[in-house]
């Protein structure tokens, strides 16, 4: 465990920081790739422009958007501990959305399965041409030190 | 499926494909990416709906790593059916169950019926 909190003022100042908005598009190629990944099937038909598509496409939008907000490496290891997709309406084939990402929160934890760890919660928001939110994707990454996590696990085992 | 996912996201963390690197990071070996698992929950709910509605939200809290090539089961139950904004919706509680019968992921979804 570090001798003092790693959540310095500089780190806390990252909360709320947002990436510049960029355009992303629900393309047939991106949709097909996402469907292949998540269903293991090659789609035989592609929805026409304007038709609703399965939410898997948001994974392709995340890539097109350049991923989530950049977070600093404060600890040697990192792992995803939670994530979510939310839709205000189904995505539509061919539509162009504006995407931006931000760091929603940064918290630290003392103890637990990872020992001392820092959680970064980030969110990407996708808006249509009117500015209405269409979808959100969020992730929570934890940063930790695997050696300390192993010590924490041994302590938990010893405690019964 | 894992490699296809990495290509989709264009991200290639070593613990998804290098067993020794994964073990060095305290994992049991290469593991299924978490974002892939939220998509598998989405798929399970979407297939359960069978065209009767659409998935508004799916969330996953990752409790344990799932080694690649280990079979997993997805379980779910309808927790609540309700009217909201003039629409009929349902909350679902979900879980990914590993080969030891333990939940590796606790999930939640909201669906809206047509």
């Amino acid at each position: 465990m570090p001798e003092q909190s790693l959540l310095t003022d500089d780190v806390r100042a990252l909360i709320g920081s947002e990436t510049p908005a960029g355009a992303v598009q629900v393309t047939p190629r991106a949709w097909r790739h996402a469907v292949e990944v998540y269903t293991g099937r090659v789609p035989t038909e592609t929805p026409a422009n304007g038709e609703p598509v399965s939410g898997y496409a948001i994974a392709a939008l995340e890539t097109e958007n350049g991923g989530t907000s950049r977070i600093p490496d404060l600890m040697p290891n990192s792992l995803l501990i939670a994530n979510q997709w939310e839709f205000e309406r189904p995505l539509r084939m061919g539509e162009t959305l504006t995407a931006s990402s931000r760091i929603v929160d940064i918290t630290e934890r003392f103890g637990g399965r990872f020992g001392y760890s820092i959680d970064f919660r980030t969110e990407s928001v996708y808006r249509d041409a009117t500015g209405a939110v269409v979808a959100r994707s969020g992730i929570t990454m934890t940063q930790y030190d695997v050696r300390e996590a192993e010590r924490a696990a041994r302590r938990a085992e010893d405690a019964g | 499926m894992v490699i296809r996912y990495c290509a989709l996201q264009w991200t290639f963390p070593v613990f998804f494909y290098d067993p020794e690197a994964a073990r060095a990071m305290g994992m049991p070996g290469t593991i299924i990416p978490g974002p892939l698992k939220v998509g598998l929950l989405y798929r399970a709910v979407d297939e359960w709906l069978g065209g009767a509605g659409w998935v508004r939200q799916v969330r996953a809290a990752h409790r344990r790593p799932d080694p690649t090539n280990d079979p997993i089961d997805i379980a779910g139950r309808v927790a609540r059916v309700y009217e909201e904004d003039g629409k009929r919706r349902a909350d679902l509680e979900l879980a990914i169950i590993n080969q030891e019968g333990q939940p590796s992921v606790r999930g939640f979804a909201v669906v809206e019926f047509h």
Side-chain angles (χ1 to χ4, degrees):
Chain A
M1 185 182 302
E3 291 182 359
Q4 58 189 20
S5 169
L6 298 179
L7 288 195
T8 61
D9 289 345
D10 285 348
V11 174
R12 290 180 200 279
L14 296 172
I15 296 172
S17 62
E18 194 163 317
T19 62
V24 295
Q25 188 179 18
V26 182
T27 64
R29 182 174 180 273
W31 174 80
R32 290 175 67 86
H33 193 173
V35 170
E36 285 179 34
V37 167
Y38 289 104
T39 70
R41 294 190 294 268
V42 177
T44 54
E45 294 181 3
T46 302
N49 268 355
E51 284 190 5
V53 300
S54 51
Y56 308 124
I58 198 169
L61 298 183
E62 288 169 351
T63 308
E64 196 179 342
N65 185 35
T68 56
S69 300
R70 291 184 66 85
I71 55 179
D73 293 324
L74 302 181
M75 303 282 287
N77 304 101
S78 67
L79 197 64
L80 178 85
I81 58 171
N83 62 327
Q84 64 184 62
W85 296 343
E86 288 181 46
F87 304 93
E88 295 298 322
R89 61 161 173 77
L91 299 172
R92 296 178 186 137
M93 180 59 75
E95 70 177 336
T96 297
L97 302 170
T98 300
S100 62
S101 299
R102 69 189 178 103
I103 296 176
V104 177
D105 202 8
I106 307 172
T107 56
E108 62 188 342
R109 286 197 274 186
F110 297 87
R113 61 176 167 150
F114 294 109
Y116 177 80
S117 59
I118 302 175
D119 293 350
F120 293 83
R121 188 158 65 90
T122 63
E123 180 185 67
S124 296
V125 180
Y126 302 88
R127 299 176 188 274
D128 66 14
T130 70
V133 173
V134 174
R136 292 184 174 86
S137 63
I139 66 170
T140 304
M141 299 290 300
T142 193
Q143 291 189 7
Y144 65 104
D145 183 330
V146 67
R147 293 164 302 177
E148 190 176 336
E150 288 169 352
R151 284 194 292 271
R154 281 196 295 272
R155 281 196 298 272
E157 277 184 18
D158 292 344
Chain B
M1 184 178 265
V2 170
I3 296 302
R4 281 178 184 230
Y5 165 78
C6 290
L8 175 68
Q9 295 276 276
W10 207 247
T11 180
F12 300 90
V14 290
F15 46 86
F16 293 153
Y17 58 85
D18 184 335
E20 287 193 15
R23 281 190 281 272
M25 296 176 72
M27 297 169 196
T30 54
I31 60 170
I32 302 174
L36 178 57
K37 290 194 277 190
V38 83
L40 295 178
L41 292 178
Y42 180 101
R43 169 186 165 184
V45 173
D46 197 39
E47 290 181 350
W48 171 77
L49 279 168
W54 58 283
V55 183
R56 288 186 60 90
Q57 182 188 128
V58 61
R59 299 199 312 245
H62 304 275
R63 303 299 189 207
R64 296 175 175 82
D66 282 304
T68 51
N69 300 321
D70 273 14
I72 54 173
D73 291 315
I74 297 178
R77 63 179 284 270
V78 177
R80 186 167 73 110
V81 180
Y82 54 98
E83 297 275 336
E84 191 174 63
D85 299 332
K87 307 286 186 181
R88 197 159 68 98
R89 294 176 179 163
D91 293 345
L92 310 181
E93 294 173 354
L94 306 168
I96 292 179
I97 310 295
N98 66 19
Q99 287 306 286
E100 285 74 47
Q102 300 292 323
S104 59
V105 173
R106 293 285 189 189
F108 177 81
V110 179
V111 299
E112 182 171 302
F113 298 101
H114 294 310

